[in-house]
Amino acid sequence: MENEFDLIVIGGGPGGYVCAIRAAQLGLKTACVESRGTLGGTCLNVGCIPSKSLLNLSENYAKAKNDFNLQGIEISDLKLNVKKMMSNKDKSVQILTKGVEFLFKKNKVTYLKGKGEFKNKNEIQVSNEKEKKTYKSKNIVIATGSMHTNIPGVNIDEKNIISSTGALSLEKVPKSMIVIGGGYIGLEMGSVWSRLGSKVTVLEYLDHITPGMDREISNEFKKILSKQGIEFKLNSKVLSVKKSGTNVNVNYEDILSKAKKEIISEKVLISVGRKPFTSGLHLDKAGVKTDLKGRVEVNTKLQTNVKNIFAIGDVIKGPMLAHKAEEEGIAVAEILAGQAGHVNYDVIPGVIYTSPEVAAVGKTEEELKKENINYKIGKFPFLANSRAKVNNETEGFVKILANSETDKVLGVHIIGPHSGDMIAEMAIAMEFGASSEDIARTCHAHPTHTEAIKEAALAVDKRPIHF
Ligand code: NAI
């Protein structure tokens, strides 16, 4: 029975590996198929983790270059070593991917190395350079993630015209970089290379950056990034991206004036979104349906149209976020073990790890208006927060949206220092159905950035103390 399992998970990213570990913890005989050679998926290998390493290192460099002298820390011979930076990043990635392999061993998850594909609804063939083997399983979870989308006709060579993967391993700082798409990836990677010295220009199709984000926060975010030296060209429709010698020419149309324009730069980063990845899986052999966007269709139990096959993470609908995939992975494992697995999609935090960070959970003002929900707003600027002030990190604010009648917190949006960590407090508050008064009456340690949250909650009732 060596080749038979209770559960085979296809894909070893944060959705898949977490699902496999939880299922094994619950006593299911579990295997996870992964073809990359290392576990952790896009997130650990070429996404969240390496980008956070470069964001941290480049932020340190920018601080040392721009701020330290003003703060009495004088550095006279500051040097940037991109090669060392990259190897530091690679080491962190290696340690973390090996860590997942260790967790598989610890939890007795069988790691099947190779590319998985459906033979039928209960059989998965795994192929690698050495062999092709077929495994049987009562249940199967599709956790194959997503891949970058492209602009029609553009050839991403990962040298001059790059995706996020290429942007994570440039050998030197390019003189200039055009970022196409002002979303999560474009702004995080644009920030990295801008801080290291590249002239970064973001071309965005819409009239604002970061679609889906609370508009007031998005506007403030653009202002702050512009001050840091990133140039934005909004309402810009890219027509072509072509390599020319060592540079790349980008032709675009200004949507408002209809004028055709051209800009040239050393590198062009294409960051116009991601799409579900199911190629080569042979979903048809199992009879699994996808929707018009190529996403695997699931019900509220994350079950596909084929009863014993489930899907989680970027390959299904919803935000393409590692932590959303993890929650879904745990929910499926618990459902399969007879428990009540569940994901609360109303409380999925989102963070952009720029400086300052931008973090949100729950509804935006625009969503509340659209849904005709009456709300109150409480805002508090970091300028009036003592800890932010002493740390010279005063940009941004906290914004809490609460129901006008019940005072229940409906959404929290923060642009400011450490907001990516602080948003967890708000996610918990929302999971417990907190009112803004609950937050306002909770003692927050002084002096911390979290006091800005308490003050914003007080501001919902128009009674902040420090502003
Ligand atoms: P995105 O959907 O966040 O942003 C893409 C942007 O490109 C949008 O603003 C869109 O209007 C613009 N765009 C699309 N086509 C265009 C064109 N032809 N010309 C100009 N602009 C165009 O996608 P992104 O940044 O590629 O990220 C992909 C996924 O990865 C997202 O779902 C994101 O949530 C996830 N991600 C999350 C991170 C985090 O949690 N910190 C970090 C990086 C990625």
Side-chain angles (χ1 to χ4, degrees):
M1 294 305 176
E2 186 199 334
N3 294 344
E4 284 192 36
F5 294 92
D6 295 321
L7 173 65
I8 293 182
V9 181
I10 312 175
Y17 85 70
V18 167
C19 178
I21 290 174
R22 183 70 187 123
Q25 281 178 350
L26 290 166
L28 301 181
K29 188 180 173 204
T30 306
C32 180
V33 190
E34 173 56 60
S35 61
R36 190 186 292 269
T38 50
L39 291 165
T42 300
C43 170
L44 244 75
N45 290 279
V46 285
C48 325
I49 296 300
S51 63
K52 262 78 267 176
S53 167
L54 293 184
L55 277 157
N56 178 52
L57 297 170
S58 62
E59 188 177 348
N60 289 345
Y61 173 71
K63 273 189 186 153
K65 192 168 161 223
N66 307 322
D67 304 338
F68 280 5
N69 266 345
L70 303 172
Q71 296 163 8
I73 304 165
E74 294 176 3
I75 303 173
S76 53
D77 194 22
L78 185 68
K79 278 196 198 115
L80 179 64
N81 186 332
V82 176
K83 207 171 157 199
K84 247 191 199 166
M85 224 176 227
M86 291 295 167
S87 82
N88 188 298
K89 171 208 68 171
D90 293 339
K91 259 186 226 147
S92 315
V93 169
Q94 203 189 5
I95 290 167
L96 288 168
T97 55
K98 282 276 167 222
V100 180
E101 220 172 309
F102 162 78
L103 292 174
F104 270 12
K105 283 198 188 110
K106 183 180 161 202
N107 289 283
K108 303 196 171 44
V109 173
T110 305
Y111 175 14
L112 302 174
K113 294 182 187 170
K115 199 155 174 37
E117 63 179 83
F118 282 97
K119 297 300 276 177
N120 56 51
K121 73 181 186 54
N122 288 104
E123 284 185 322
I124 298 293
Q125 175 181 287
V126 179
S127 17
N128 53 40
E129 319 80 66
K130 286 192 216 128
E131 56 183 7
K132 275 190 180 144
K133 240 179 169 175
T134 298
Y135 298 87
K136 264 193 167 172
S137 185
K138 284 187 200 133
N139 294 292
I140 292 164
V141 170
I142 304 166
T144 44
S146 61
M147 63 175 290
H148 63 77
T149 46
N150 196 357
I151 300 170
V154 175
N155 174 30
I156 297 180
D157 60 9
E158 298 296 6
K159 289 194 175 82
N160 297 76
I161 305 174
I162 56 180
S163 71
S164 53
T165 305
L168 287 168
S169 45
L170 297 180
E171 282 167 7
K172 60 184 183 61
V173 182
K175 281 198 184 68
S176 54
M177 178 183 278
I178 293 170
V179 171
I180 304 182
Y184 278 55
I185 293 180
L187 300 178
E188 287 188 354
M189 294 319 299
S191 284
V192 165
W193 293 106
S194 165
R195 289 170 191 163
L196 298 180
S198 200
K199 167 78 196 111
V200 172
T201 308
V202 176
L203 293 185
E204 167 59 50
Y205 184 82
L206 301 172
D207 64 357
H208 59 279
I209 57 168
T210 51
M213 183 184 281
D214 187 274
R215 194 59 71 84
E216 193 182 4
I217 298 273
S218 163
N219 292 342
E220 182 70 13
F221 188 30
K222 179 172 162 279
K223 237 190 266 167
I224 292 173
L225 291 177
S226 301
K227 243 176 39 195
Q228 290 174 8
I230 297 181
E231 194 181 335
F232 289 91
K233 293 185 188 296
L234 303 181
N235 300 298
S236 297
K237 182 179 172 190
V238 172
L239 303 171
S240 69
V241 181
K242 288 216 170 73
K243 221 185 131 190
S244 153
T246 54
N247 285 324
V248 186
N249 292 12
V250 176
N251 286 289
Y252 67 98
E253 181 186 283
D254 181 322
I255 296 171
L256 303 179
S257 69
K258 301 272 173 243
K260 302 257 192 304
K261 300 183 177 178
E262 182 184 58
I263 38 173
I264 298 171
S265 78
E266 199 178 321
K267 305 276 177 198
V268 172
L269 166 64
I270 311 282
S271 49
V272 293
R274 297 182 64 83
K275 60 182 179 194
F277 181 71
T278 55
S279 131
L281 258 185
H282 295 299
L283 291 177
D284 52 319
K285 290 194 181 165
V288 173
K289 280 193 197 147
T290 52
D291 66 13
L292 291 173
K293 292 184 176 166
R295 302 177 295 197
V296 176
E297 281 181 330
V298 289
N299 62 18
T300 52
K301 297 270 176 220
L302 299 156
Q303 187 179 36
T304 68
N305 61 307
V306 181
K307 262 189 162 173
N308 69 313
I309 303 178
F310 295 74
I312 58 171
D314 287 8
V315 83
I316 64 168
K317 64 179 188 293
M320 289 186 171
L321 298 171
H323 43 279
K324 175 254 191 190
E326 286 182 36
E327 292 306 314
E328 289 174 338
I330 286 175
V332 167
E334 293 182 350
I335 289 167
L336 289 175
Q339 299 184 357
H342 170 72
V343 178
N344 180 3
Y345 290 100
D346 291 335
V347 186
I348 306 274
V351 180
I352 306 191
Y353 298 87
T354 42
S355 177
E357 291 179 342
V358 187
V361 61
K363 306 266 189 209
T364 63
E365 260 200 90
E366 291 72 31
E367 284 171 331
L368 292 174
K369 279 186 192 137
K370 213 165 140 196
E371 293 171 28
N372 284 321
I373 298 171
N374 294 328
Y375 59 91
K376 306 177 278 186
I377 306 178
K379 272 196 283 186
F380 190 80
F382 283 101
L383 195 65
N385 172 273
S386 55
R387 186 66 181 279
K389 186 77 201 142
V390 295
N391 286 359
N392 297 305
E393 297 173 324
T394 52
E395 282 176 316
F397 56 92
V398 177
K399 173 175 176 177
I400 296 181
L401 303 169
N403 188 296
S404 298
E405 285 88 46
T406 64
D407 192 36
K408 186 175 177 182
V409 175
L410 302 172
V412 181
H413 306 271
I414 313 176
I415 178 163
H418 312 291
S419 57
D421 289 312
M422 290 202 292
I423 203 70
E425 176 190 342
M426 292 296 92
I428 291 174
M430 287 179 70
E431 280 287 359
F432 280 82
S435 63
S436 78
E437 187 171 356
D438 289 329
I439 297 163
R441 291 197 181 277
T442 301
C443 184
H444 285 68
H446 175 77
T448 62
H449 297 93
T450 65
E451 287 173 286
I453 291 179
K454 180 188 167 97
E455 290 273 6
L458 285 165
V460 173
D461 194 35
K462 301 192 173 44
R463 54 187 174 98
I465 300 293
H466 294 93
F467 190 62

